[in-house]
Amino acid sequence: MAKKFTLVTGGAGLIGSQIIEDLNHNGNTDILVVDHLGTSEKWKNLQRNFFFDYFEKDQFEALVDSGHSLLSEISEIYHLGACSATTEKDATYLIHNNFHYTKKLAHLAVDRNIPFLYASSAATYGEGEFGYDDKAPIENLKPLNMYGYSKHLFDLYAKKTKIADKLIGLKYFNVFGYGEAHKGDMRSLVLKGYEQIRDTGKLKLFKSYKPEYKDGEQKRDFLYVKDASKISIYLLSERKYGLYNVGRGMAETWNDLAGALFQAMKRPTNIEYVEMPDSLKGKYQYYTCADMEKLQKVGYPFGFTNLPDSIREYVHLLEQEAK
């Protein structure tokens, strides 16, 4: 049988489920989904979408290891499956899940000439002491946590083994949107904040411990999941190989986000600044902003949704779900 399936690992996750939804809108339901559902509510993201078959990640890894005939039917791969917990302390687990699994799938893709897109992360930039430039050498980067390092390891591996120019790697920045409810502590502040404001009328933000940043003025490059999906699909469908930042190229404060959230929920702004846990203090990014020149140069045509509009749409979806 001719190659025909799109493989989406992490297909029940935030970005993966949005990509499948968008592929469905483009008429593609010949999709193989891989994920690890466990005891979470992640399965609800599968329910939104249409696909051909589902595999647990260990089950699919066994198919890869055995060289199963199904692999010859895969025409493109979106590899978004990973442990995305920045607080995960089990380094052995992260190495297997985020590094070795990615190596296996990348070599499968390169050997079989299958277009391959994988999720790297803005966490690879660490404190940003070398900037957030996806055109700069990656060897000097120093991620602040093991999650970021596990992603960085594969970026380095792809470069050293000279397969990087046959892959599309995406350094996603702060992605938020519908479909992240299962992520526990790793949910975006938009969703956590929505729940706090709904339940208490108040939103808690971390105090700043650097004098150059006032409380709530720490900055992030926030990206709506629908834009993350559009960029991903564009780069893979157009075969634009390379390592790219995926953000908006705009740093906005937590206070900006909070203001947009209160406005979307039609509540008065009420922010409480709280102590940051000691476990986070040395691993907290005070500023991220993607250099987006590389994406623009390859002709990405769609632009970005601004923060107030994306939060307004997201809040509307959450309110619809709650009815």
Side-chain angles (χ1 to χ4, degrees), residues 118-298:
Y118 73 93
S120 179
S121 172
T124 59
Y125 286 118
E127 279 194 297
E129 61 268 54
F130 300 104
Y132 297 92
D133 183 358
D134 51 7
K135 302 177 295 300
I138 60 175
E139 286 78 6
N140 294 330
L141 299 180
K142 290 186 169 48
L144 293 173
N145 53 53
M146 185 56 209
Y147 161 72
Y149 183 59
S150 69
K151 291 294 193 177
H152 183 51
L153 269 178
F154 182 77
D155 293 341
L156 289 169
Y157 175 83
K159 186 172 182 178
K160 285 184 287 197
T161 55
K162 298 184 169 53
I163 61 172
D165 59 353
K166 298 173 183 172
L167 312 174
I168 299 160
L170 301 188
K171 295 195 178 205
Y172 294 108
F173 277 66
N174 281 66
V175 180
F176 68 92
Y178 189 75
E180 60 172 322
H182 64 277
K183 293 178 71 164
D185 278 351
M186 292 299 111
R187 291 170 301 157
S188 73
L189 186 71
V190 184
L191 180 54
K192 288 180 179 176
Y194 169 82
E195 292 168 353
Q196 285 180 33
I197 295 166
R198 179 196 64 198
D199 297 341
T200 70
K202 183 168 63 177
L203 174 62
K204 293 179 178 180
L205 295 177
F206 288 138
K207 290 178 180 176
S208 170
Y209 296 87
K210 291 189 176 181
E212 62 268 38
Y213 291 90
K214 294 178 182 173
D215 291 341
E217 295 294 306
Q218 306 97 319
K219 290 187 170 184
R220 289 286 194 282
D221 192 330
F222 300 109
L223 181 69
Y224 194 31
V225 68
K226 291 189 176 183
D227 292 336
S229 174
K230 274 185 192 170
I231 293 166
S232 306
I233 291 172
Y234 172 80
L235 290 172
L236 189 59
S237 61
E238 297 294 324
R239 312 294 192 248
K240 302 290 188 182
Y241 298 107
L243 188 58
Y244 295 86
N245 284 337
V246 180
R248 281 191 303 139
M250 182 180 298
E252 293 175 277
T253 70
W254 293 113
N255 288 334
D256 292 331
L257 183 150
L261 192 49
F262 279 107
Q263 189 174 27
M265 295 178 72
K266 299 181 173 60
R267 303 281 189 98
T269 300
N270 182 5
I271 300 171
E272 179 187 352
Y273 299 102
V274 299
E275 300 291 329
M276 186 184 295
D278 288 339
S279 60
L280 278 183
K281 282 182 183 174
K283 301 175 181 176
Y284 187 83
Q285 291 175 306
Y286 272 73
Y287 177 89
T288 67
C289 186
D291 180 325
M292 296 303 293
E293 183 185 12
K294 193 170 180 179
L295 183 70
Q296 290 158 358
K297 280 192 169 175
V298 297

Side-chain angles (χ1 to χ4, degrees), residues 68-93:
H68 193 279
S69 59
L70 180 66
L71 304 175
S72 65
E73 298 175 36
I74 294 170
S75 60
E76 59 183 5
I77 298 173
Y78 292 89
H79 177 45
L80 303 162
C83 172
S84 60
T86 56
T87 53
E88 176 59 61
K89 289 184 169 61
D90 188 341
T92 299
Y93 172 70

Side-chain angles (χ1 to χ4, degrees), residues 9-57:
T9 75
L14 171 61
I15 301 172
S17 60
Q18 185 63 52
I19 284 175
I20 295 172
E21 184 176 308
D22 291 343
L23 290 172
N24 286 172
H25 283 310
N26 295 340
N28 182 0
T29 57
D30 290 330
I31 298 167
L32 304 176
V33 181
V34 177
D35 211 306
H36 175 59
L37 296 179
T39 56
S40 76
E41 297 285 279
K42 208 194 299 192
W43 62 270
K44 291 180 178 177
N45 282 337
L46 293 178
Q47 196 171 228
R48 290 160 49 189
N49 294 324
F50 299 94
F51 50 90
F52 184 81
D53 205 353
Y54 172 82
F55 301 90
E56 278 287 311
K57 66 173 185 178

